């Protein structure tokens, strides 16, 4: 995997993905959609139901989801106090559904763009309107992989020296590749 984004010179970025790269990126984004889950009430587009839907008041039990949807108050290692827990629950209840919807839309934008390649590789262009969606979608993937791999800042250098026999190696390669994609997209769009 060696493709990275390059500036198109008109506010966009382009990348040449081979079939394997496109397939891996699409698969990861589909898995992200499964992790995030469907909107409340399923796939209904009823705006009235969405307006009155309330989100969960409890933090997710899955560590990856907790990383994607952290508590707004308190935090890891913070002392558990009832008032902070109550504020976090209330904040989550009114914001998590919107945050999930945005993350779902980001992942779907990437999947749709990759589907536009017709199941094969090819050049894919990201315009200024999709820039934030792509960055968000790749960031969500990296955060999820980091949790699954139990990566900390201290471990980052060790990822490069992981032996091929380590069962985490494919996920580590994806994690590092996504970091390169994210950085190259940012450079292409701002440089």
């Amino acid at each position: 995997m060696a493709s990275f984004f390059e500036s198109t010179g008109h506010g966009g970025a382009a990348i040449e993905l081979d079939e394997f790269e496109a397939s891996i990126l699409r698969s990861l984004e589909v898995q992200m959609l499964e992790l995030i889950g469907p909107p409340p009430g399923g796939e209904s587009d009823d705006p009235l139901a969405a307006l009155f839907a309330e989100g969960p008041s409890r933090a997710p039990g899955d560590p990856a989801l907790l990383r994607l949807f952290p508590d707004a108050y308190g935090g890891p290692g913070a002392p558990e106090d009832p008032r902070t827990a109550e504020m976090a629950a209330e904040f989550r209840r009114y914001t998590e559904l919107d945050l999930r919807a945005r993350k779902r839309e980001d992942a779907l934008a990437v999947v749709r763009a990759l589907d536009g390649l017709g199941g094969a590789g090819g050049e894919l262009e990201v315009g200024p309107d999709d820039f934030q969606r792509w960055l968000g979608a790749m960031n969500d993937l990296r955060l999820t992989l980091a949790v699954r791999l139990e990566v900390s800042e201290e471990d980052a250098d060790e990822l490069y020296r992981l032996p091929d026999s380590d069962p985490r190696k494919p996920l580590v390669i994806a994690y590092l590749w996504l970091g390169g994609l994210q950085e190259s997209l940012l450079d292409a769009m701002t440089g």
Side-chain angles (χ1 to χ4, degrees), residues 12 29 32 47 50 62 76 80 87 131 141 155 164 181 186:
E29 290 296 352
M32 177 59 63
D62 182 324
E80 197 55 39
M87 289 186 318
F131 168 66
L141 285 174
D155 300 333
D164 289 343
L181 284 179
L186 191 57

Side-chain angles (χ1 to χ4, degrees), residues 71-140:
D71 277 330
Y73 301 96
E80 197 55 39
D81 103 57
R83 178 67 182 137
T84 301
E86 182 183 323
M87 289 186 318
E90 191 74 2
F91 188 84
R92 179 177 296 284
R93 189 168 68 126
Y94 291 112
T95 61
E96 186 170 316
L97 291 181
D98 288 339
L99 186 55
R100 281 181 183 265
R102 185 182 53 90
K103 289 180 180 301
R104 193 178 302 109
E105 289 166 8
D106 291 350
L108 277 171
V110 174
V111 169
R112 288 181 183 128
L114 293 166
D115 285 350
L117 295 176
E123 183 173 277
L124 190 136
E125 189 168 329
V126 176
D129 295 340
D130 291 326
F131 168 66
Q132 290 295 331
R133 290 203 180 284
W134 274 77
L135 280 179
M138 287 189 288
N139 190 58
D140 291 343

Side-chain angles (χ1 to χ4, degrees), residues 42-60:
E43 298 297 327
S44 170
D45 288 331
D46 181 359
L48 190 58
L51 181 65
F52 290 106
E54 289 185 5
S57 58
R58 294 190 123 142

